[in-house]
Amino acid sequence: MQDFIRLFFNLEVMAQTLPLLMQGLWMTAKLCAAVIGLGLVGGLFLALGALSHRRWLRWPAFALIDFLRALPPLVLLIFIYSGLPFAGLAISPFAAVAVAFFLNNSAYYAEIYRAGIQSVPTGQTEAARACGLTTGQTLAHVVLPQAVRNVLPDLLSNTVEVVKLTSLASVVSLAELLYSANMARSLTYNASPLVLAALVYLVLLWPLVRLVSRYQRRLAA
Amino acid sequence: MSRPMLEIVALEKSFGDLKVLRDINLRVATGEMVFVIGPSGSGKSTMLRCCNRLEEPTSGAILIDGKDIVGCSSSALNRMRLEVGMVFQGFHLYPHMNVVANVMLAQIKALKRPKDEARERALAMLDRVGLRHRAETMPTQLSGGQQQRVAIARALALDPKVMLFDEPTSALDPELVGSVLAVMKDLKDSGMTMLVVSHEMGFAREAADRVVFMDGGLVVEEGPPEQIFANPKAERTQAFLSRVRA
């Protein structure tokens, strides 16, 4: 039992490796900001493409969404980081992770936006257009605010997935939270840094997960 | 007759092979209130929705104060839609903003009015429909009749030349119909040009200048309400009116 505590819940080791883990957390935060920000914008454009009346826009958008949802994010990441250099395209680990997960998540955000936009009654669009608003104004001021509100739990839920997804960045040696914890584990020959990293993820994401279920219950009521 | 405010010329509309409107011709003079009646599926609503191109006409022309709305570009269409107010059966207020914001939105975005001026105008229009005291309320907290009056205020705030009403009272509980009709009567008395699709025969008889009977995508008969209701000439008009009265 003592060994268990010494190897998994060693406060001394945790305190010692905390600065390293905090650096990792900062990297995770930057990654999340990049992937979530880009994903929310990219997803919106993909969704608008998929809902367009123009076939030359709709088809490529659908194809891209399907392709990106079917492709495992880790495969995409390793291809971009280790495959593209064969074509003379070498990019930093951070850029590789950001691009790979941006692509992957745009597709998921796109599907959520699409469901949201389709949940807004057509009468809303008609009323706005009848008042002389342009397509863009109608979207920005009438349709999207309602669409986002209707799918807020799903957007949040996908965002939680993004945060968890960034731990995959450790395979391309990007020093985010998990990679830093694993490095600390090998330096100290002790599993406590990994336990600490898990606790950090939990503390960060648990409130978000709670929030999602609260929203879902409220929407269901 | 001087130039009509709204003129529909040889309007046709098909959905695929289905001809919904065949050669509609109709003129509405400035300040006139014209009622369109007819059985469901007769094309009344489609005709109305062609007047601001929510429905794209297959052929024909629709002149608003002399300008054709059918052939114009999309930016010109957005400008012309400001001159044609529309009120829907289902109100379609924006549920995520309060009443006064509903009335302000298109003023600010489409008409480019400064915010203060838009708000002032919105409150004046809400006052006109008797709902100024509900300006800060969310639409879902209003009764159907109140929502429809806000929708009328929203259209009026853009200073339209013509108002289109698409079955404005059909979704209302009977006791709420009166308040909406009163607003429409007031609007007519102030000189607004109005084209109304509705089943409110009593109101048509009392307030309309002219009644148009449509069936099968055609205008079958038109005339002053006394004539249409008391002495309809066409057989189809007689049959429809006797069904409605029965």
Side-chain angles (χ1 to χ4, degrees):
Chain A
M1 184 65 196
Q2 284 233 307
D3 272 358
F4 178 76
I5 289 176
R6 185 173 58 77
L7 289 173
F8 289 90
F9 293 92
N10 192 322
L11 291 180
E12 205 179 314
V13 171
M14 283 184 180
Q16 195 188 341
T17 54
L18 189 65
L20 189 62
L21 262 68
M22 286 302 109
Q23 273 178 20
L25 181 61
W26 175 234
M27 178 56 81
T28 293
K30 284 195 286 188
L31 255 186
C32 288
V35 173
I36 293 167
L38 289 170
L40 282 171
V41 175
L44 181 57
F45 280 103
L46 271 181
L48 294 178
L51 288 168
S52 169
H53 297 295
R54 300 181 182 87
R55 204 176 304 168
W56 56 267
L57 249 173
R58 195 168 65 228
W59 276 70
F62 265 116
L64 195 58
I65 291 173
D66 274 6
F67 172 76
L68 290 171
R69 290 207 320 164
L71 196 67
L74 188 54
V75 173
L76 189 59
L77 171 60
I78 292 182
F79 176 78
I80 288 176
Y81 184 67
S82 311
L84 286 187
F86 286 94
L89 262 173
I91 54 177
S92 73
F94 185 89
V97 175
V99 169
F101 295 169
F102 149 65
L103 288 174
N104 173 263
N105 269 282
S106 290
Y108 284 97
Y109 280 128
E111 286 296 88
I112 297 170
Y113 280 124
R114 193 161 69 92
I117 290 170
Q118 284 177 325
S119 75
V120 178
T122 48
Q124 289 290 312
T125 308
E126 289 187 349
R129 298 307 307 273
C131 285
L133 295 190
T134 63
T135 318
Q137 288 171 335
T138 301
L139 196 65
H141 303 291
V142 176
V143 176
L144 276 184
Q146 296 182 59
V148 168
R149 184 179 300 189
N150 289 349
V151 292
L152 202 56
D154 301 299
L155 285 174
L156 266 175
S157 176
N158 192 58
T159 302
V160 170
E161 293 303 317
V162 173
V163 177
K164 293 192 286 186
L165 193 67
T166 57
S167 62
L168 287 185
S170 54
V171 302
V172 295
S173 310
L174 186 67
E176 44 68 69
L177 181 55
L178 177 62
Y179 184 87
S180 307
N182 200 29
M183 201 159 72
R185 182 218 23 104
S186 67
L187 288 173
T188 57
Y189 204 67
N190 189 299
S192 303
L194 288 176
V195 173
L196 183 58
L199 285 173
V200 172
Y201 279 119
L202 211 62
V203 167
L204 281 177
L205 294 181
W206 183 69
L208 271 177
V209 172
R210 275 281 19 105
L211 197 64
V212 171
S213 10
R214 268 244 309 266
Y215 265 126
Q216 275 167 340
R217 233 176 309 137
R218 183 140 40 107
L219 282 186
Chain B
M1 179 162 139
S2 61
R3 185 172 82 186
M5 181 57 86
L6 171 68
E7 183 171 14
I8 301 176
V9 186
L11 175 65
E12 292 185 19
K13 171 69 184 176
S14 306
F15 293 105
D17 289 337
L18 184 66
K19 267 203 159 179
V20 181
L21 300 176
R22 14 179 129 226
D23 194 27
I24 301 276
N25 293 279
L26 188 66
R27 309 169 126 227
V28 184
T30 305
E32 198 182 18
M33 181 197 250
V34 174
F35 247 74
V36 183
I37 61 172
S40 64
S42 59
K44 320 178 290 278
S45 282
T46 305
M47 177 196 71
L48 202 68
R49 289 161 58 83
C50 282
C51 292
N52 63 356
R53 271 176 63 190
L54 283 183
E55 233 40 276
E56 207 60 60
T58 305
S59 67
I62 297 172
L63 309 176
I64 311 289
D65 202 12
K67 281 179 293 179
D68 188 7
I69 198 170
V70 174
C72 69
S73 69
S74 66
S75 61
L77 174 62
N78 287 331
R79 275 195 303 280
M80 285 191 74
R81 277 174 170 164
L82 292 169
E83 301 180 349
V84 186
M86 187 162 197
V87 174
F88 300 86
Q89 179 177 356
F91 329 135
H92 304 326
L93 295 181
Y94 315 129
H96 59 296
M97 36 179 110
N98 68 18
V99 163
V100 71
N102 262 273
V103 185
M104 286 167 68
L105 181 69
Q107 292 188 66
I108 295 169
K109 300 300 171 190
L111 218 48
K112 310 289 180 202
R113 270 195 192 134
K115 240 184 177 160
D116 295 348
E117 199 186 319
R119 188 179 169 83
E120 206 170 296
R121 178 91 181 128
L123 290 173
M125 289 303 105
L126 287 171
D127 197 34
R128 186 164 177 188
V129 300
L131 288 169
R132 191 187 173 115
H133 62 292
R134 304 307 296 271
E136 309 296 332
T137 314
M138 295 309 274
T140 46
Q141 285 170 297
L142 299 179
S143 72
Q146 290 174 325
Q147 289 189 47
Q148 193 60 297
R149 279 146 65 199
V150 173
I152 293 173
R154 176 173 68 181
L156 287 180
L158 302 169
D159 304 316
K161 292 176 175 170
V162 185
M163 285 283 284
L164 310 171
F165 291 83
D166 190 4
E167 308 208 15
T169 56
S170 301
L172 298 177
D173 291 336
E175 76 270 22
L176 302 174
V177 169
S179 66
V180 172
L181 295 183
V183 167
M184 290 171 66
K185 180 76 170 64
D186 170 68
L187 206 53
K188 178 197 158 30
D189 292 343
S190 72
M192 179 59 76
T193 308
M194 299 159 81
L195 185 57
V196 184
V197 169
S198 171
H199 298 293
E200 298 291 337
M201 303 297 174
F203 182 67
R205 190 184 274 259
E206 176 196 328
D209 295 302
R210 211 145 41 94
V211 174
V212 172
F213 174 72
M214 274 180 73
D215 193 16
L218 283 168
V219 171
V220 175
E221 185 170 1
E222 60 178 297
E226 317 80 75
Q227 181 202 312
I228 297 288
F229 290 122
N231 287 310
K233 290 197 200 90
E235 223 169 275
R236 279 192 281 177
T237 319
Q238 293 166 4
F240 172 72
L241 287 173
S242 67
R243 270 204 311 277
V244 173
R245 286 196 190 111

